[in-house]
Amino acid sequence: MNAEPRPTGRRSWWRGPRLYAAVSVPVVLAGVFAVTRAGQGASGCTSPRPVLQVAAAPDIAGVVGEISRRLVRVAGRSGCFEIAVSARASDEVADAVTRASTRPPDVWIPESGVVLRRLGAGVVGRPDPARSVATSPMVFAVAPDVAARFTGARPSLDDLVAAAGGARPVPLRLPARRSAATAGAVLSLQGALAQRADARAALTGVLRTAEPDAEAAALSPAALTAGHAAAPMTEQAAWAARGGPNPLVALYPRRGGFDFDYPFTVLTLDGYRQQIAGLLFDALRGEAGQEQFRAAGFRDVSGQAAAAVGGWGEPGPVPATPVDDAALQQVDRMLDTVRRDARLLAVLDVSGSMGRAVAGMPGATRMDLAKDAAARGLALYPDSTEAGLWIFATDLTPTTDYRELVPVGPLADGADGTGNRFRLVDAFSKVHPIPGGNTGLYDTTLAAVQAVRRGWDPSRVNAVVLITDGANDDRHGLSRAQLLTQLRAGQRGGRPVPVITVALGPDSDVQALRKISAATGGASYVARDPRDVREVFLDALGQRACRPHCAAAPTR
């Protein structure tokens, strides 16, 4: 009789969810005895002995391997099993789990339950906190010279975020977009910024300047030190670097913590190997196993660290924020939208009122404010962005209230790198208010949306940015109701063109601008200071991740 049950059928190991509960025994020795008996036939153990294949995240694989070897030694010669632990990146194992042609390991210990959530319940089941074998809070690691820029004896993530909007921002490097570290980083940044009125704009600004999909070499202590950069990593990894040539300082989030929880995930359907997996789980979760994790710089399943780590990492981590599917989807949308190329048409009001002075800003006119707004906004976009410029008042041409100054095109093109960025700067420098000109707002808005829609690019965010200081006073054009009806109808055609409206000064018809933006899924802002414009454009970019359920933008 063969003591090791084998799956029946060529692909029978692939059945339904692959997460199974490990067998729990009160005492490891008793478990070893029970498994040994189950694995013995009439002549003792099967030959060769079955091997439990365990794939573990590289940072924890060493400790898991030591505990596994100790477990096999406890079993001694009578133990009818072996355990082989390999350090494997989560994306590699995830690929094996999802491919029908590849057999996955018997047990998988990724760095986070986020990895399992991304694969879906139909593949590995839902992450279970009770399956965790160790934890390590996420920190943002920087070199000591970078940390020295921040005020206070113990800098935090808040200091890193504050530096992002200053003259000396710290470059943030993020691992692969769908990694647990990147998800945790975005969620922690959201927590750090949650109490700010411009939270969405600030988060967008940080993420737009981050370096995405960084290679492992660029995330090493040496690379972070050389680049004066920051990166999310486990507390254990930052602690482990303390005695090396490139020690790191860990910046803990004060809100919105994230834990790497190392879930023990049994993938095999073989009953005997499931029993061995149960023994290993008990050994990892037992006091001796948990002490070994703590000694290596990890925290145990209750979040307790060894004294050396606790003293080094003070003030320590905040409670982790639970991560569900909705949170991960929001992270993905944010990362996709803030870095996605755009196709923009800037529409600038040049009516006579744009020549009026701005209260509190001697010598500055509304036109100065508008031109500064457009220039600052466009500066936030990469060279691959496509942008153009219209101006509008009333009757600028024999048939329209608007005139095209720069056709929509790449901000940089050609071998010399010139393109619309240069043309737009030149065009802005020549724009002046038209004395006596009125505001043909409604006709111009519809024409701009239709123009962008005609050249609609599905790979880009297609939008109109409209800057005005007034209200529609073209009595021969569209009414507000007619405009809104046509805008809503156009949006239903499958080529959405949101209108981002920026109102300048007290004479703006803010209500009408908000309705225009709402009808197109855009955002509406009131800007009274050039210093607000950067946040206005960043918030407009960030809104793409939450539409159509965005919170209202702050009035500026």
Side-chain angles (χ1 to χ4, degrees):
M1 174 181 175
N2 188 345
E4 183 186 0
R6 302 291 184 186
T8 59
R10 183 169 175 268
R11 304 302 302 163
S12 60
W13 55 270
W14 175 270
R15 291 197 201 116
R18 291 186 177 181
L19 179 61
Y20 297 88
V23 177
S24 178
V25 290
V27 182
V28 170
L29 282 174
V32 169
F33 178 73
V35 172
T36 297
R37 288 177 58 95
Q40 289 177 340
S43 58
C45 295
T46 59
S47 181
R49 296 184 182 190
V51 179
L52 184 74
Q53 298 290 342
V54 179
D59 55 347
I60 206 171
V63 181
V64 174
E66 291 177 11
I67 296 173
S68 298
R69 288 188 290 273
R70 187 172 64 205
L71 175 61
V72 172
R73 285 197 301 270
V74 169
R77 293 185 178 180
S78 62
C80 295
F81 60 88
E82 299 286 346
I83 301 175
V85 179
S86 60
R88 296 176 65 183
S90 291
D91 55 354
E92 176 190 347
V93 182
D95 185 61
V97 169
T98 54
R99 283 190 180 184
S101 60
T102 305
R103 185 160 188 165
D106 300 316
V107 172
W108 181 22
I109 308 177
E111 66 273 17
S112 171
V114 165
V115 177
L116 305 182
R117 282 195 172 277
R118 289 202 178 281
L119 289 178
V123 179
V124 293
R126 287 294 182 192
D128 180 356
R131 310 298 301 160
S132 173
V133 297
T135 62
S136 189
M138 192 193 71
V139 300
F140 288 75
V142 298
D145 66 324
V146 174
R149 299 183 198 172
F150 307 140
T151 59
R154 182 65 68 173
S156 71
L157 177 58
D158 289 0
D159 297 289
L160 184 68
V161 169
R168 297 184 66 193
V170 179
L172 175 60
R173 296 176 181 174
L174 297 176
R177 172 182 150 169
R178 294 181 65 80
S179 67
T182 292
V186 175
L187 293 170
S188 292
L189 288 168
Q190 285 179 332
L193 295 164
Q195 297 177 355
R196 290 176 49 165
D198 63 342
R200 188 166 53 221
L203 177 61
T204 303
V206 173
L207 294 179
R208 279 189 68 81
T209 56
E211 302 172 27
D213 301 317
E215 299 290 339
L219 301 171
S220 68
L224 294 178
T225 299
H228 305 285
M233 62 177 61
T234 64
E235 176 191 62
Q236 188 272 343
W239 179 81
R242 73 198 183 286
N246 298 286
L248 297 172
V249 175
L251 308 180
Y252 289 84
R254 291 177 177 169
R255 297 168 294 279
F258 178 83
D259 276 351
F260 294 88
D261 56 348
Y262 302 96
F264 190 90
T265 313
V266 181
L267 303 179
T268 182
L269 290 179
D270 184 283
Y272 185 51
R273 285 188 170 83
Q274 287 182 16
Q275 294 180 61
I276 303 170
L279 290 178
L280 176 58
F281 179 71
D282 288 336
L284 296 173
R285 291 271 296 208
E287 181 52 39
Q290 291 292 283
E291 177 57 34
Q292 201 156 344
F293 282 121
R294 290 191 292 267
F298 294 94
R299 295 180 179 242
D300 62 25
V301 293
S302 66
Q304 296 300 308
V309 178
W312 171 85
E314 289 180 353
V318 299
T321 301
V323 181
D324 56 18
D325 292 343
L328 288 179
Q329 290 167 5
Q330 177 66 14
V331 167
D332 289 343
R333 285 196 299 269
M334 176 60 73
L335 291 172
D336 176 59
T337 56
V338 300
R339 303 201 65 86
R340 189 177 171 193
D341 273 340
R343 185 172 177 274
L344 305 172
L345 175 58
V347 182
L348 180 60
D349 187 352
V350 294
S351 60
S353 59
M354 290 290 286
R356 293 177 183 171
V358 178
M361 299 182 66
T365 66
R366 294 178 183 176
M367 178 60 75
D368 296 329
L369 179 61
K371 289 159 67 171
D372 187 84
R376 286 171 180 255
L378 288 172
L380 299 172
Y381 290 83
D383 287 345
S384 54
T385 298
E386 295 182 358
L389 175 65
W390 285 11
I391 56 173
F392 76 101
T394 50
D395 301 322
L396 287 190
T397 77
T399 58
T400 66
D401 291 335
Y402 55 88
R403 179 187 302 140
E404 180 182 77
L405 297 187
V406 181
V408 174
L411 290 181
D413 59 9
D416 60 356
T418 61
N420 268 13
R421 195 181 296 279
F422 171 80
R423 299 184 185 98
L424 288 166
V425 170
D426 183 60
F428 283 131
S429 68
K430 299 175 181 177
V431 170
H432 300 285
I434 297 175
N438 292 321
T439 307
L441 176 63
Y442 297 161
D443 283 11
T444 299
T445 299
L446 181 60
V449 169
Q450 292 173 337
V452 173
R453 185 171 289 130
R454 283 194 295 271
W456 199 83
D457 184 344
S459 67
R460 296 175 179 269
V461 174
N462 302 261
V464 170
V465 180
L466 191 147
I467 304 173
T468 181
D469 76 330
N472 182 73
D473 47 19
D474 181 358
R475 298 180 180 179
H476 304 293
L478 293 169
S479 67
R480 182 191 301 181
Q482 290 172 326
L483 171 65
L484 296 177
T485 297
Q486 294 197 48
L487 289 176
R488 294 188 186 104
Q491 292 297 104
R492 293 193 292 268
R495 294 188 172 189
V497 179
V499 179
I500 301 164
T501 58
V502 181
L504 303 176
D507 300 327
S508 302
D509 189 345
V510 175
Q511 182 180 11
L513 295 176
R514 286 176 176 168
K515 289 186 176 182
I516 288 171
S517 293
T520 59
S524 185
Y525 303 88
V526 177
R528 300 186 177 92
D529 190 316
R531 292 168 296 185
D532 295 334
V533 172
R534 181 178 186 273
E535 285 68 33
V536 165
F537 276 81
L538 286 173
D539 191 83
L541 288 170
Q543 277 223 358
R544 303 198 311 251
C546 57
R547 291 172 189 154
H549 305 297
C550 295
T555 297
R556 297 196 171 272

